[in-house]
Amino acid sequence: MSKHMSSTALRRTEVECLKPPAMKRRWTKARITGHILVGLWLMMFAGLAIYLYNSWQIDLVQTYGQRYWSGLLTTLKLVAISIVLGALVSLPVAAARMSNSKFLRRISYGYVYFFRGTPLLAQAFLIYYGFGTFRPFLEQVGLWVFFRDAWNCAILAFTLNTSAYQAEILRGAIQSVAVGQWEGAAALGLNKRVTFWKVILPQALIVALRPYGNEIILMIKGSAIVAIITVYDLMGETRRAYSRTFDFQTYLWAAVLYLIIVEILRHIWEWIERRITRHLKR
């Protein structure tokens, strides 16, 4: 027993001797400036919270609370549908970007270049107002039923926009997987389709997970532009509430709701990332 205790104490002493000395953190100018800025941000958020608490109007909440909730659901529905449809569209676009066909690469590159290089607001205007100028033709082919609805135009604009970003995210993630993975799978006798779905894609999705989360957050914040084309999402309901009350507090509450959505999504994404990467941690 004494030998065991002495050996344990010896190992502890060796570990303590091997530990490098703790570095003293000096109060440099950068550190002082950082602490001051953080303090100012905390003071600003505290002041905002105090203001919202003191200026709380129960009548405003009772009158527009239900509409805010309806707008919030509209925003979440718009983003969810657009993200899913965009993911489906991004698969062939990403495949075309990586194909051996020069024609397919140019077409997909033009698609990605246009929808990533132009503002989402301009794309929504082009679809909602631009297609409206072709109403006689669209009525003849039976598509006017779709394009006359602002909700459908918003879904189409957001889907095309996010599919371009998701295609580049997916392409970069797939190309980040080492070529040896393909070669190893071929040595085991696996065909390319099985290799892609069972070996390459799971590894690529781990790389693409964080960019996908950033894209969803950007879509949530960018969804506010649909209020301009008469879709009453969260920002649309906020604008309507402000036009009737002229109280800028309505926009503060909208900002708080957007912040809550983003924070919830961020924590969910971090949990997913920890779950699917737990085999990479020792």
Side-chain angles (χ1 to χ4, degrees), residues 37-52:
L37 291 177
V38 170
L40 291 175
W41 276 106
L42 292 175
M43 290 174 60
M44 186 186 71
F45 280 110
L48 178 61
I50 294 172
Y51 170 79
L52 291 176

Side-chain angles (χ1 to χ4, degrees), residues 25-43:
R25 299 186 62 187
R26 298 179 179 179
W27 286 94
T28 61
K29 292 182 179 180
R31 189 181 179 191
I32 294 173
T33 304
H35 278 73
I36 293 174
L37 291 177
V38 170
L40 291 175
W41 276 106
L42 292 175
M43 290 174 60

Side-chain angles (χ1 to χ4, degrees), residues 145-166:
V145 177
F146 178 87
F147 285 101
R148 72 182 180 184
D149 192 343
W151 169 259
N152 295 334
C153 293
I155 290 290
L156 180 59
F158 276 63
T159 298
L160 295 176
N161 181 271
T162 188
S163 65
Y165 283 93
Q166 291 189 50

Side-chain angles (χ1 to χ4, degrees), residues 212-266:
Y212 270 123
N214 294 336
E215 173 62 15
I216 295 175
I217 290 175
L218 290 175
M219 287 289 291
I220 290 175
K221 294 187 289 186
S223 64
I225 69 169
V226 298
I228 303 177
I229 59 173
T230 69
V231 175
Y232 286 101
D233 67 329
L234 178 56
M235 184 55 65
E237 294 293 349
T238 302
R239 292 180 62 192
R240 180 156 61 178
Y242 179 77
S243 66
R244 297 181 180 181
T245 62
F246 296 101
D247 187 354
F248 80 97
Q249 186 183 157
T250 55
Y251 284 105
L252 286 177
W253 286 113
V256 171
L257 289 175
Y258 277 113
L259 184 62
I260 292 173
I261 297 171
V262 170
E263 280 300 305
I264 292 175
L265 180 63
R266 185 175 66 84

Side-chain angles (χ1 to χ4, degrees), residues 3-276:
K3 290 183 179 180
H4 176 71
M5 293 179 63
S6 60
S7 61
T8 303
L10 181 61
R11 282 197 298 269
R12 288 180 181 176
T13 305
E14 291 176 353
V15 170
E16 290 177 357
C17 292
L18 293 175
K19 284 184 178 180
M23 296 181 62
K24 295 182 179 180
R25 299 186 62 187
R26 298 179 179 179
W27 286 94
T28 61
K29 292 182 179 180
R31 189 181 179 191
I32 294 173
T33 304
H35 278 73
I36 293 174
L37 291 177
V38 170
L40 291 175
W41 276 106
L42 292 175
M43 290 174 60
M44 186 186 71
F45 280 110
L48 178 61
I50 294 172
Y51 170 79
L52 291 176
Y53 177 79
N54 293 331
S55 60
W56 172 268
Q57 298 180 17
I58 189 63
D59 296 337
L60 185 66
V61 176
Q62 290 177 347
T63 304
Y64 297 102
Q66 187 64 32
R67 293 183 178 179
Y68 268 78
W69 175 250
S70 175
L72 177 61
L73 293 180
T74 301
T75 295
L76 295 177
K77 188 187 301 183
L78 172 68
V79 173
I81 295 174
S82 301
I83 288 293
V84 173
L85 294 179
L88 296 176
V89 176
S90 68
L91 291 175
V93 175
R97 290 278 284 133
M98 296 183 294
S99 68
N100 295 325
S101 173
K102 193 173 183 179
F103 174 76
L104 291 178
R105 288 202 308 271
R106 287 183 175 180
I107 293 295
S108 59
Y109 175 79
Y111 175 86
V112 171
Y113 181 82
F114 176 80
F115 284 103
R116 292 181 68 199
T118 56
L120 180 57
L121 179 60
Q123 297 166 19
F125 277 1
L126 285 173
I127 293 175
Y128 182 63
Y129 295 111
F131 279 97
T133 60
F134 301 99
R135 177 175 179 176
F137 172 75
L138 294 175
E139 287 179 342
Q140 291 179 1
V141 297
L143 293 177
W144 179 244
V145 177
F146 178 87
F147 285 101
R148 72 182 180 184
D149 192 343
W151 169 259
N152 295 334
C153 293
I155 290 290
L156 180 59
F158 276 63
T159 298
L160 295 176
N161 181 271
T162 188
S163 65
Y165 283 93
Q166 291 189 50
E168 285 299 284
I169 292 172
L170 184 60
R171 182 179 70 90
I174 291 174
Q175 291 181 341
S176 70
V177 180
V179 181
Q181 299 291 328
W182 291 96
E183 296 173 349
L188 294 174
L190 300 177
N191 58 46
K192 290 186 176 181
R193 180 177 300 179
V194 174
T195 301
F196 177 77
W197 289 103
K198 299 293 185 179
V199 179
I200 304 300
L201 190 59
Q203 298 180 64
L205 290 178
I206 294 176
V207 177
L209 183 63
R210 192 172 291 273
Y212 270 123
N214 294 336
E215 173 62 15
I216 295 175
I217 290 175
L218 290 175
M219 287 289 291
I220 290 175
K221 294 187 289 186
S223 64
I225 69 169
V226 298
I228 303 177
I229 59 173
T230 69
V231 175
Y232 286 101
D233 67 329
L234 178 56
M235 184 55 65
E237 294 293 349
T238 302
R239 292 180 62 192
R240 180 156 61 178
Y242 179 77
S243 66
R244 297 181 180 181
T245 62
F246 296 101
D247 187 354
F248 80 97
Q249 186 183 157
T250 55
Y251 284 105
L252 286 177
W253 286 113
V256 171
L257 289 175
Y258 277 113
L259 184 62
I260 292 173
I261 297 171
V262 170
E263 280 300 305
I264 292 175
L265 180 63
R266 185 175 66 84
H267 283 85
I268 293 174
W269 223 250
E270 287 180 354
W271 178 81
I272 295 174
E273 187 176 10
R274 287 196 302 268
R275 290 284 297 176
I276 68 175

